[in-house]
Amino acid sequence: MPAKKSIRVTKAQQQIVKTPFDQTVFLEGAAGTGKTTVGTRRIRYMFEEKVAPDSILILVPQKALALPYYDELKRKKTAGSQVGVMTIGSLSQQMVDLFWPLVAEEAGFKHPMKRPHFLSLELVQYYMHKIIGPEIDRNGYFNSVTINRNRLFSQIVDNLNKASVVGIPYQEVGERLKSAWQGDETQKHVYDDAQRCMTRFREFCLENNLLDFSLQVHVFIDYLWPMEAPRHYLLNKFRHLIVDNSEEDNPVTHAMLGDWLPQCDSALIIYDTDAGYRRFLGADADDAYRLKAHCDTHAMLDRHFTMSDDMTAFAVEMAETLHHPLEGVKVKRKADALAAIEFPESIRYHPQMVDAVVERIAALIYDEGVPTSEIVVIAPFMSDALRFALMTRLEAYDVPARSHRPSRALREEPAALALMTLAKLAHPAWQMRPTTFDVAHALTTAISDLDMVRARLLVDVLYKKGQLAAFDNIRNAEIQQRITFELGERYDMLRQWIDEYQQEMSPQLDFFWSRLFGELLSRNGYGFHDDFDATRTAANLIDSARHFRQIIGSIDPDAPLAKDYVEMVQRGILADAYLDWQLEDTESVLLTPAYTFLMSNRAVDYQFWINVGSPGWATRLYQPLTHPYILSLQWEQGRKWGDEDELAANQDALYRLVLGLIRRCRERIYLGFSELGEQGYEQRGELLMAIQGMLRRRALEEA
Amino acid sequence: MNLLGDFTFSQSSLQDDVDCPRRFELRYLKRVRYPAPETQDMLEFEQLMQHGADFHRLIHQYILGIPTELLTPFADEAPLNLWWRHFLADGLRDVPDEKRLPEMTLIAPLGDYRLLAKYDLLAITPGERAVIMDWKTSRNLPKREWLAAKLQTRVYRYVLALAGDELNDGAAIPPDAIEMRYWYAEHNRVISFPYSEAQFAEDERYLLSLIAEIEERDIFPLTTDDRRCRFCTYRTLCGRGNEAGLLDEYETDFEITLADDFDIDLDQIAEIEF
Ligand code: SF4
């Protein structure tokens, strides 16, 4: 692992770091000006000055943004307590978990004397399918909308979350959306349907002590925070606040901080200008800026440490092109915006562009010695097809690459597929008989050294009507020898294990898998023995099934949980992504959607922007059930959302996105463009227009 | 060198190393997940763990000041109801009440690394004494000598002596002001361990020797006490049998404790990502 670059702090930074411990500071500045460095150094300084670590709370909008702080904390070798690192989500969950008996009844839960159950996102999706799905079918909701169920449910959940983090009663969401709508009436029915679904889901949660993210935050902010005991507990415990990326947090968090600031000893509120990328999750940068008024001291950092001089020139050029000239940024005389980018000659087809990008990456690595971790490939959306194309081409050049999410969902991992197939084989009553292909595939995963050809031979002869017959049922000696008796014996042991299990089945699917794994599949000679990727997949699948059983089983003990689980996995609702971010290999090229990269808040030397002609850089996702601008504090109620609003919003989003990316790049940006996009259409998106506009202006100036 | 500079030890990881170096290697260095059953009676085991976690939460809530009458309904099932009655009667008997810090984590340096202790309750009268309370929910009452040898007994007292300043008005807590008490909920019994300068020095020597050994090891040997393997999920990987042992035997020979994992990942909630 390369040594971490050591960072020297400037006098201006040092001054903020050493602010007395009875002061609150609002620190603003653009990305790359060293604000988070101030945050981490402040922590170090507090330790040196013997501030009790457990009186410090680091609050960030999402976990990944705390990584620089975790790094700093791990470096601490002095004795003491532990700093709290939280998001509003984790803080809410911990507080609700602890103070539940004080609020459960008042908050409207039907069983206040029973424990609450916190729902993971996958269980929210599960209940959406179970509870809301049938309602939609019965009542014919959303007839005019053609998007798949999962996305429909995501937007219903999203509305609940936004209501909660913006501080709007969830019962008003539908009306708010309707009041801003000025198109045809059918869309208003869609909003009404969305409201009904939200209401039904919330009622179901209240009836069963279930708390999704929205309800956790609601109970914390609206019930616990105003209450003496929990509030006193928090104010007393955390006397010092460090809040990073406050612009990416939401109004209820800002309101809580507004209350907290006058009562804490010290605070550092960090605000990134020109950001606000989590708007569609309820983030509100304008609202965050109001925290400035609650702070004793205001500080600003404006010297860029990340961008090269040429990159700074490019940032200035692009900002001007996007009608937001940067104030106070000086461009060095010799700096050249065009030297910061590469915009290859016109390429007609998308695959050629992907090839060109990959070739350039390989050249950077092999010819110029650039570390893989300093290269990131960015697209407005990273489709599976695009990710696959990039991954396979990079692999051909022997360039390690990683994706913002696992290349496969957990349920698609061969180890998980094999466990699912074996579960179906062992539970014929489910009537989910696996295909011969699935069984052969499961056997190759489960039994070491068994290849697909021999597995097919086995299955063709021995797998009949959902049952596996004994190896000696193969009468043909030649086939037996081809498979080998050793593998035949392993196969028989697996078959016998299933037979014995069927004498005394367990209703807990996770127990079934755990025993099958422990008693057989992890033995020497079986596929999971020392394949630690496969064992991790098995562990994740078992965790997911256990969590499902514990929560769903506590609400409905008679439900056929094991079968339900398998069905839901097959439908793509459960066992989706299980990314262990602590195990992520950072020594590789990262492929990521633009916003995900921005939210990781780190800089790299080289960025490759893919599909710069795509309209996706400046267009919101199609979300017919929700609206990030109307469901915000800034939206004047009753006003209609018009084309000019859409245009202004898109332009503003593009500006923030482009500047955010440039400010996180040190050396060069490669602009990947093909005349025909991924789908084969001409590409003329706003980003492309802006880049071409800038190039034209430069050409005129130079002429 | 087997360890990264930011490695954090805990009593669980050190105990693993003492019990079986191979287990330490698999679990903490290679981070191998191996989801075999710990015991044959999986449901009962799970319930015991769940009751233990519920009981710890109840005490945490009680110490934070949530009225008893609001908490008692959450302890309406056996064995929680019995534990709770015992706790209300005697759990905090003679426990300092000037400063009670539930679920407190302290970290102390240990050689080039860090040593973490996660306490159920630290009860301190600043300048006078500090009592470490540890709630135990196992059904068997262990022998005192067995507990005395546990890494938990050493690590918890040692870390408090090194890292307790901020809880004691800025002054180090002298070892002889420290007492560690295991309180067994099922039996309503306390097993207590005082501390001393000599024991502190001995613990330091011992703990440093443990990590020096870990650092220098070329291979991490398998335990010679293969009874442990029956309750260890890596048993097939190590060629130490295929079936988990019975819960009763587990409880007789060892003690079920709640996981004391040191991952600083506090963010358990699934948030919507981009
Ligand atoms: S199975 Fe036995 S030898 Fe292997 S890691 Fe576990 S305790 Fe150690």
Short mmCIF file of all heavy atoms in Angstrom, two decimals, chain A residues 53-54 73 76-77 79-81 87 90 98 112 115 161 216 280 514 518 522-523 529 535 540 543 549-550 599, chain B residues 5-6 33-35 37 46 57 61 66 74 104-107 109 112 114 166 236-237 242 264 266-267 269 272 274:
data_model
loop_
_atom_site.label_atom_id
_atom_site.label_comp_id
_atom_site.label_asym_id
_atom_site.label_seq_id
_atom_site.Cartn_x
_atom_site.Cartn_y
_atom_site.Cartn_z
N PRO A 53 -12.65 12.55 24.48
CA PRO A 53 -13.11 12.13 23.14
C PRO A 53 -14.60 11.81 23.10
O PRO A 53 -15.27 12.10 22.11
CB PRO A 53 -12.26 10.90 22.85
CG PRO A 53 -11.01 11.11 23.65
CD PRO A 53 -11.44 11.81 24.90
N ASP A 54 -15.15 11.22 24.16
CA ASP A 54 -16.56 10.85 24.04
C ASP A 54 -17.49 12.04 24.23
O ASP A 54 -18.71 11.89 24.19
CB ASP A 54 -16.92 9.68 24.97
CG ASP A 54 -17.08 10.12 26.40
OD1 ASP A 54 -16.45 11.12 26.78
OD2 ASP A 54 -17.84 9.46 27.12
N LEU A 73 -9.00 8.97 13.58
CA LEU A 73 -9.25 8.34 14.89
C LEU A 73 -8.38 7.11 15.07
O LEU A 73 -7.90 6.83 16.17
CB LEU A 73 -10.73 7.96 15.03
CG LEU A 73 -11.71 9.15 15.04
CD1 LEU A 73 -13.15 8.65 15.11
CD2 LEU A 73 -11.42 10.08 16.20
N LYS A 76 -5.01 7.74 16.42
CA LYS A 76 -4.88 8.18 17.82
C LYS A 76 -4.29 7.07 18.67
O LYS A 76 -4.85 5.99 18.78
CB LYS A 76 -6.26 8.58 18.33
CG LYS A 76 -6.29 8.92 19.80
CD LYS A 76 -7.72 9.27 20.21
CE LYS A 76 -7.82 9.63 21.67
NZ LYS A 76 -7.84 8.49 22.56
N LYS A 77 -3.15 7.37 19.32
CA LYS A 77 -2.53 6.32 20.14
C LYS A 77 -2.56 6.70 21.62
O LYS A 77 -1.98 6.00 22.44
CB LYS A 77 -1.08 6.10 19.69
CG LYS A 77 -0.97 5.43 18.32
CD LYS A 77 -0.98 3.90 18.41
CE LYS A 77 -1.44 3.19 17.18
NZ LYS A 77 -0.69 3.37 15.99
N ALA A 79 -4.44 7.46 25.32
CA ALA A 79 -5.52 6.79 26.03
C ALA A 79 -6.75 7.69 26.17
O ALA A 79 -6.63 8.90 26.23
CB ALA A 79 -5.02 6.40 27.41
N GLY A 80 -7.90 7.07 26.21
CA GLY A 80 -9.11 7.86 26.45
C GLY A 80 -10.34 7.16 25.92
O GLY A 80 -10.29 6.00 25.51
N SER A 81 -11.44 7.92 25.91
CA SER A 81 -12.71 7.34 25.47
C SER A 81 -12.82 7.44 23.95
O SER A 81 -11.85 7.79 23.27
CB SER A 81 -13.86 8.07 26.16
OG SER A 81 -13.73 9.46 25.92
N THR A 87 -24.55 9.51 11.64
CA THR A 87 -25.38 10.22 10.67
C THR A 87 -26.71 10.46 11.38
O THR A 87 -26.95 9.87 12.44
CB THR A 87 -25.66 9.35 9.43
OG1 THR A 87 -26.37 8.19 9.88
CG2 THR A 87 -24.38 8.93 8.74
N SER A 90 -28.24 6.99 12.01
CA SER A 90 -27.75 6.15 13.11
C SER A 90 -28.06 6.80 14.45
O SER A 90 -28.39 6.11 15.42
CB SER A 90 -26.25 5.87 12.96
OG SER A 90 -25.52 7.05 12.93
N LEU A 98 -33.00 3.37 22.58
CA LEU A 98 -32.81 3.58 24.02
C LEU A 98 -34.06 4.16 24.70
O LEU A 98 -34.44 3.72 25.78
CB LEU A 98 -31.67 4.57 24.24
CG LEU A 98 -30.28 4.00 24.43
CD1 LEU A 98 -29.29 5.12 24.68
CD2 LEU A 98 -30.25 3.02 25.60
N PRO A 112 -46.89 -0.30 22.47
CA PRO A 112 -45.78 0.46 23.07
C PRO A 112 -45.00 -0.34 24.11
O PRO A 112 -43.87 0.03 24.43
CB PRO A 112 -46.48 1.66 23.71
CG PRO A 112 -47.91 1.27 23.83
CD PRO A 112 -48.20 0.30 22.75
N ARG A 115 -40.94 -4.37 22.04
CA ARG A 115 -39.76 -3.76 21.44
C ARG A 115 -40.03 -3.30 20.00
O ARG A 115 -40.82 -3.91 19.29
CB ARG A 115 -38.61 -4.80 21.38
CG ARG A 115 -38.02 -5.16 22.72
CD ARG A 115 -37.07 -4.11 23.25
NE ARG A 115 -36.07 -3.73 22.27
CZ ARG A 115 -35.61 -2.47 22.14
NH1 ARG A 115 -36.07 -1.50 22.90
NH2 ARG A 115 -34.70 -2.19 21.24
N ASN A 161 -39.47 9.38 3.26
CA ASN A 161 -38.18 9.85 3.79
C ASN A 161 -38.06 11.36 3.67
O ASN A 161 -37.63 12.03 4.61
CB ASN A 161 -37.01 9.18 3.04
CG ASN A 161 -36.89 7.71 3.38
OD1 ASN A 161 -37.54 7.22 4.31
ND2 ASN A 161 -36.08 6.99 2.63
N GLN A 216 -38.03 6.39 11.96
CA GLN A 216 -36.99 6.59 12.99
C GLN A 216 -36.68 8.07 13.15
O GLN A 216 -36.61 8.59 14.27
CB GLN A 216 -35.69 5.89 12.58
CG GLN A 216 -35.70 4.40 12.70
CD GLN A 216 -34.54 3.79 11.93
OE1 GLN A 216 -33.43 4.28 11.99
NE2 GLN A 216 -34.80 2.71 11.22
N PHE A 280 -32.00 15.14 -3.96
CA PHE A 280 -33.13 14.22 -4.12
C PHE A 280 -33.26 13.25 -2.95
O PHE A 280 -34.14 12.41 -2.92
CB PHE A 280 -33.11 13.50 -5.49
CG PHE A 280 -31.93 12.64 -5.73
CD1 PHE A 280 -31.97 11.30 -5.40
CD2 PHE A 280 -30.79 13.16 -6.30
CE1 PHE A 280 -30.89 10.51 -5.64
CE2 PHE A 280 -29.70 12.38 -6.54
CZ PHE A 280 -29.74 11.03 -6.20
N SER A 514 -26.82 -22.82 7.58
CA SER A 514 -25.66 -22.83 8.46
C SER A 514 -25.22 -24.28 8.73
O SER A 514 -24.02 -24.60 8.70
CB SER A 514 -26.03 -22.12 9.76
OG SER A 514 -24.91 -21.95 10.55
N GLY A 518 -21.81 -25.93 7.66
CA GLY A 518 -20.89 -26.40 8.70
C GLY A 518 -20.66 -27.90 8.67
O GLY A 518 -19.55 -28.37 8.89
N SER A 522 -18.44 -27.17 3.99
CA SER A 522 -17.15 -26.58 4.36
C SER A 522 -16.09 -27.66 4.63
O SER A 522 -14.97 -27.34 5.00
CB SER A 522 -17.31 -25.68 5.59
OG SER A 522 -17.76 -26.44 6.69
N ARG A 523 -16.47 -28.91 4.45
CA ARG A 523 -15.45 -29.96 4.65
C ARG A 523 -14.44 -29.93 3.50
O ARG A 523 -14.76 -29.47 2.40
CB ARG A 523 -16.12 -31.34 4.64
CG ARG A 523 -16.91 -31.63 5.86
CD ARG A 523 -17.28 -33.10 5.82
NE ARG A 523 -18.43 -33.35 6.64
CZ ARG A 523 -18.96 -34.56 6.81
NH1 ARG A 523 -18.45 -35.60 6.19
NH2 ARG A 523 -20.01 -34.71 7.58
N HIS A 529 -14.90 -25.08 1.32
CA HIS A 529 -13.91 -25.36 2.36
C HIS A 529 -12.93 -24.20 2.58
O HIS A 529 -12.85 -23.65 3.68
CB HIS A 529 -13.14 -26.64 2.00
CG HIS A 529 -12.10 -27.00 3.00
ND1 HIS A 529 -12.40 -27.31 4.30
CD2 HIS A 529 -10.74 -27.09 2.89
CE1 HIS A 529 -11.28 -27.59 4.95
NE2 HIS A 529 -10.27 -27.46 4.13
N THR A 535 -17.38 -18.37 1.20
CA THR A 535 -17.85 -18.44 2.59
C THR A 535 -18.43 -17.09 3.01
O THR A 535 -19.39 -17.03 3.75
CB THR A 535 -16.73 -18.86 3.58
OG1 THR A 535 -15.73 -17.86 3.61
CG2 THR A 535 -16.13 -20.20 3.22
N ASN A 540 -23.16 -13.79 4.29
CA ASN A 540 -24.06 -12.68 4.01
C ASN A 540 -25.49 -13.15 3.74
O ASN A 540 -26.46 -12.55 4.20
CB ASN A 540 -23.56 -11.86 2.81
CG ASN A 540 -22.37 -10.99 3.18
OD1 ASN A 540 -22.15 -10.69 4.35
ND2 ASN A 540 -21.58 -10.63 2.20
N ASP A 543 -27.00 -14.21 7.02
CA ASP A 543 -27.36 -13.01 7.80
C ASP A 543 -28.67 -12.41 7.30
O ASP A 543 -29.54 -12.03 8.09
CB ASP A 543 -26.29 -11.91 7.64
CG ASP A 543 -25.07 -12.19 8.50
OD1 ASP A 543 -25.13 -13.12 9.32
OD2 ASP A 543 -24.06 -11.49 8.32
N ARG A 549 -36.06 -13.53 9.05
CA ARG A 549 -36.84 -14.40 9.94
C ARG A 549 -37.15 -13.70 11.26
O ARG A 549 -38.28 -13.74 11.75
CB ARG A 549 -36.04 -15.68 10.22
CG ARG A 549 -36.58 -16.51 11.36
CD ARG A 549 -35.81 -17.79 11.54
NE ARG A 549 -34.41 -17.64 11.86
CZ ARG A 549 -33.93 -17.40 13.09
NH1 ARG A 549 -34.75 -17.26 14.11
NH2 ARG A 549 -32.63 -17.31 13.29
N GLN A 550 -36.12 -13.04 11.81
CA GLN A 550 -36.34 -12.46 13.13
C GLN A 550 -37.38 -11.34 13.10
O GLN A 550 -38.23 -11.25 13.98
CB GLN A 550 -35.01 -11.93 13.70
CG GLN A 550 -34.08 -13.07 14.09
CD GLN A 550 -32.69 -12.61 14.48
OE1 GLN A 550 -32.25 -11.53 14.08
NE2 GLN A 550 -31.97 -13.44 15.23
N MET A 599 -20.12 12.19 -3.68
CA MET A 599 -20.44 11.95 -2.28
C MET A 599 -19.37 11.15 -1.54
O MET A 599 -19.46 10.98 -0.34
CB MET A 599 -21.80 11.27 -2.14
CG MET A 599 -22.97 12.19 -2.42
SD MET A 599 -22.83 13.80 -1.62
CE MET A 599 -22.77 13.30 0.10
N GLY B 5 -0.45 -1.11 11.59
CA GLY B 5 -0.24 -0.17 12.69
C GLY B 5 -1.52 0.28 13.36
O GLY B 5 -1.52 0.65 14.54
N ASP B 6 -2.66 0.25 12.63
CA ASP B 6 -3.89 0.71 13.28
C ASP B 6 -4.69 -0.43 13.89
O ASP B 6 -5.86 -0.29 14.19
CB ASP B 6 -4.73 1.53 12.30
CG ASP B 6 -5.14 0.73 11.08
OD1 ASP B 6 -4.95 -0.51 11.09
OD2 ASP B 6 -5.65 1.33 10.12
N ARG B 33 -14.95 -15.09 7.14
CA ARG B 33 -16.30 -15.37 7.66
C ARG B 33 -16.62 -16.82 7.35
O ARG B 33 -16.42 -17.28 6.23
CB ARG B 33 -17.31 -14.42 7.03
CG ARG B 33 -17.04 -12.96 7.39
CD ARG B 33 -18.27 -12.11 7.22
NE ARG B 33 -19.34 -12.53 8.10
CZ ARG B 33 -20.62 -12.21 7.93
NH1 ARG B 33 -20.99 -11.48 6.91
NH2 ARG B 33 -21.54 -12.65 8.77
N TYR B 34 -17.12 -17.52 8.35
CA TYR B 34 -17.31 -18.96 8.20
C TYR B 34 -18.57 -19.34 8.96
O TYR B 34 -18.52 -19.65 10.16
CB TYR B 34 -16.07 -19.67 8.78
CG TYR B 34 -15.62 -20.87 7.99
CD1 TYR B 34 -15.06 -20.73 6.73
CD2 TYR B 34 -15.75 -22.15 8.51
CE1 TYR B 34 -14.64 -21.83 6.00
CE2 TYR B 34 -15.33 -23.26 7.79
CZ TYR B 34 -14.77 -23.09 6.54
OH TYR B 34 -14.34 -24.18 5.82
N PRO B 35 -19.73 -19.34 8.27
CA PRO B 35 -21.00 -19.32 9.00
C PRO B 35 -21.51 -20.69 9.45
O PRO B 35 -22.69 -21.02 9.25
CB PRO B 35 -21.95 -18.68 7.99
CG PRO B 35 -21.41 -19.11 6.67
CD PRO B 35 -19.92 -19.21 6.81
N PRO B 37 -22.62 -23.45 12.45
CA PRO B 37 -23.27 -23.22 13.75
C PRO B 37 -22.24 -23.25 14.89
O PRO B 37 -21.29 -24.02 14.84
CB PRO B 37 -24.21 -24.42 13.90
CG PRO B 37 -24.28 -25.07 12.56
CD PRO B 37 -23.04 -24.71 11.82
N GLU B 46 -29.44 -18.79 20.09
CA GLU B 46 -29.84 -17.47 19.62
C GLU B 46 -30.69 -16.75 20.67
O GLU B 46 -30.52 -15.56 20.93
CB GLU B 46 -30.63 -17.61 18.31
CG GLU B 46 -31.09 -16.30 17.73
CD GLU B 46 -31.86 -16.49 16.43
OE1 GLU B 46 -31.19 -16.68 15.40
OE2 GLU B 46 -33.10 -16.46 16.43
N ARG B 57 -29.61 -3.90 27.44
CA ARG B 57 -30.29 -2.67 27.03
C ARG B 57 -31.16 -2.13 28.17
O ARG B 57 -31.18 -0.93 28.46
CB ARG B 57 -31.13 -2.89 25.78
CG ARG B 57 -31.70 -1.58 25.25
CD ARG B 57 -32.74 -1.72 24.18
NE ARG B 57 -32.31 -2.51 23.05
CZ ARG B 57 -32.62 -3.80 22.88
NH1 ARG B 57 -33.39 -4.42 23.77
NH2 ARG B 57 -32.21 -4.45 21.83
N GLN B 61 -30.97 1.49 29.89
CA GLN B 61 -32.10 2.41 29.96
C GLN B 61 -32.38 2.82 31.41
O GLN B 61 -32.67 3.98 31.70
CB GLN B 61 -33.35 1.74 29.35
CG GLN B 61 -33.21 1.53 27.84
CD GLN B 61 -34.33 0.68 27.27
OE1 GLN B 61 -34.72 -0.33 27.86
NE2 GLN B 61 -34.83 1.07 26.11
N ILE B 66 -34.74 6.07 32.80
CA ILE B 66 -36.10 5.75 32.36
C ILE B 66 -36.80 5.02 33.52
O ILE B 66 -36.23 4.08 34.10
CB ILE B 66 -36.07 4.88 31.09
CG1 ILE B 66 -35.40 5.69 29.96
CG2 ILE B 66 -37.48 4.43 30.69
CD1 ILE B 66 -35.28 4.99 28.65
N PHE B 74 -41.01 -4.77 29.60
CA PHE B 74 -40.14 -5.35 28.58
C PHE B 74 -39.36 -6.55 29.11
O PHE B 74 -38.59 -7.16 28.38
CB PHE B 74 -39.16 -4.29 28.06
CG PHE B 74 -39.85 -3.20 27.29
CD1 PHE B 74 -40.33 -2.07 27.95
CD2 PHE B 74 -40.06 -3.32 25.93
CE1 PHE B 74 -40.99 -1.07 27.26
CE2 PHE B 74 -40.72 -2.33 25.23
CZ PHE B 74 -41.20 -1.21 25.89
N MET B 104 -19.74 2.25 28.11
CA MET B 104 -18.61 3.17 27.87
C MET B 104 -17.46 2.41 27.21
O MET B 104 -17.16 1.29 27.60
CB MET B 104 -18.18 3.70 29.24
CG MET B 104 -17.07 4.66 29.22
SD MET B 104 -17.75 6.29 28.89
CE MET B 104 -16.29 7.21 28.60
N THR B 105 -16.84 3.07 26.24
CA THR B 105 -15.68 2.44 25.59
C THR B 105 -14.43 3.26 25.89
O THR B 105 -14.44 4.47 25.75
CB THR B 105 -15.89 2.38 24.06
OG1 THR B 105 -17.03 1.58 23.81
CG2 THR B 105 -14.69 1.77 23.36
N LEU B 106 -13.38 2.58 26.31
CA LEU B 106 -12.10 3.26 26.51
C LEU B 106 -11.03 2.57 25.66
O LEU B 106 -11.10 1.35 25.44
CB LEU B 106 -11.67 3.21 27.98
CG LEU B 106 -12.49 4.02 28.99
CD1 LEU B 106 -11.92 3.84 30.40
CD2 LEU B 106 -12.53 5.50 28.64
N ILE B 107 -10.07 3.36 25.24
CA ILE B 107 -8.98 2.81 24.43
C ILE B 107 -7.66 3.24 25.06
O ILE B 107 -7.50 4.39 25.45
CB ILE B 107 -9.05 3.35 22.98
CG1 ILE B 107 -10.38 2.95 22.35
CG2 ILE B 107 -7.90 2.82 22.14
CD1 ILE B 107 -10.62 3.54 20.98
N PRO B 109 -3.24 2.81 24.68
CA PRO B 109 -2.17 2.31 23.81
C PRO B 109 -1.60 1.02 24.38
O PRO B 109 -1.54 0.84 25.59
CB PRO B 109 -1.11 3.43 23.84
CG PRO B 109 -1.44 4.28 25.00
CD PRO B 109 -2.84 4.02 25.42
N ASP B 112 2.75 -0.69 20.07
CA ASP B 112 2.49 0.19 18.93
C ASP B 112 1.02 0.16 18.52
O ASP B 112 0.65 0.72 17.49
CB ASP B 112 3.33 -0.27 17.73
CG ASP B 112 4.79 -0.02 17.98
OD1 ASP B 112 5.09 0.88 18.79
OD2 ASP B 112 5.63 -0.74 17.40
N ARG B 114 -3.40 -0.48 19.76
CA ARG B 114 -4.41 0.07 20.68
C ARG B 114 -5.16 -1.08 21.31
O ARG B 114 -5.35 -2.13 20.70
CB ARG B 114 -5.36 0.96 19.91
CG ARG B 114 -4.62 1.99 19.11
CD ARG B 114 -5.46 2.92 18.25
NE ARG B 114 -6.78 2.50 17.92
CZ ARG B 114 -7.82 3.32 17.88
NH1 ARG B 114 -7.68 4.58 18.20
NH2 ARG B 114 -9.00 2.87 17.52
N GLU B 166 -9.98 10.95 32.20
CA GLU B 166 -11.05 11.91 31.89
C GLU B 166 -12.31 11.64 32.69
O GLU B 166 -13.20 12.49 32.76
CB GLU B 166 -11.33 11.91 30.37
CG GLU B 166 -11.90 10.61 29.88
CD GLU B 166 -12.00 10.54 28.36
OE1 GLU B 166 -10.95 10.52 27.71
OE2 GLU B 166 -13.13 10.50 27.84
N THR B 236 -14.37 -27.21 10.57
CA THR B 236 -14.11 -28.01 9.36
C THR B 236 -12.88 -27.51 8.61
O THR B 236 -12.13 -28.30 8.03
CB THR B 236 -15.32 -27.99 8.40
OG1 THR B 236 -15.86 -26.67 8.38
CG2 THR B 236 -16.38 -28.98 8.80
N LEU B 237 -12.69 -26.21 8.64
CA LEU B 237 -11.51 -25.64 7.98
C LEU B 237 -10.24 -26.19 8.63
O LEU B 237 -9.24 -26.43 7.95
CB LEU B 237 -11.56 -24.11 8.09
CG LEU B 237 -10.48 -23.33 7.36
CD1 LEU B 237 -10.51 -23.60 5.87
CD2 LEU B 237 -10.63 -21.84 7.62
N ASN B 242 -16.87 -32.16 12.28
CA ASN B 242 -17.88 -31.58 11.39
C ASN B 242 -19.12 -31.08 12.13
O ASN B 242 -19.92 -30.36 11.55
CB ASN B 242 -18.34 -32.62 10.36
CG ASN B 242 -17.17 -33.19 9.59
OD1 ASN B 242 -16.26 -32.45 9.22
ND2 ASN B 242 -17.17 -34.50 9.39
N ILE B 264 -15.46 -0.02 14.30
CA ILE B 264 -15.98 1.29 14.70
C ILE B 264 -17.12 1.68 13.77
O ILE B 264 -17.37 2.83 13.56
CB ILE B 264 -14.89 2.37 14.68
CG1 ILE B 264 -13.53 1.76 15.02
CG2 ILE B 264 -15.22 3.48 15.65
CD1 ILE B 264 -12.39 2.71 14.84
N LEU B 266 -20.46 2.43 13.37
CA LEU B 266 -21.63 2.69 14.19
C LEU B 266 -22.88 2.78 13.36
O LEU B 266 -23.98 2.86 13.87
CB LEU B 266 -21.44 4.00 14.95
CG LEU B 266 -20.27 3.99 15.91
CD1 LEU B 266 -19.96 5.39 16.36
CD2 LEU B 266 -20.60 3.12 17.10
N ASP B 267 -22.67 2.80 12.06
CA ASP B 267 -23.80 3.12 11.20
C ASP B 267 -24.49 1.85 10.75
O ASP B 267 -24.17 1.29 9.72
CB ASP B 267 -23.28 3.90 10.01
CG ASP B 267 -24.31 4.88 9.56
OD1 ASP B 267 -25.45 4.78 10.00
OD2 ASP B 267 -23.97 5.73 8.75
N ILE B 269 -27.66 1.52 10.09
CA ILE B 269 -28.88 1.72 9.31
C ILE B 269 -28.60 1.73 7.82
O ILE B 269 -27.60 2.26 7.37
CB ILE B 269 -29.56 3.02 9.73
CG1 ILE B 269 -30.85 3.19 8.96
CG2 ILE B 269 -28.68 4.21 9.52
CD1 ILE B 269 -31.76 4.19 9.58
N ILE B 272 -30.51 5.13 1.95
CA ILE B 272 -30.58 5.07 0.50
C ILE B 272 -29.30 5.66 -0.07
O ILE B 272 -28.90 6.75 0.28
CB ILE B 272 -31.79 5.86 -0.01
CG1 ILE B 272 -33.05 5.22 0.51
CG2 ILE B 272 -31.80 5.93 -1.52
CD1 ILE B 272 -34.31 5.91 0.08
N PHE B 274 -26.87 6.51 -3.59
CA PHE B 274 -27.11 6.86 -4.99
C PHE B 274 -27.08 5.63 -5.86
O PHE B 274 -26.34 4.72 -5.58
CB PHE B 274 -26.04 7.84 -5.47
CG PHE B 274 -26.19 9.18 -4.86
CD1 PHE B 274 -25.43 9.55 -3.78
CD2 PHE B 274 -27.15 10.04 -5.33
CE1 PHE B 274 -25.57 10.79 -3.22
CE2 PHE B 274 -27.32 11.27 -4.76
CZ PHE B 274 -26.54 11.66 -3.70
#
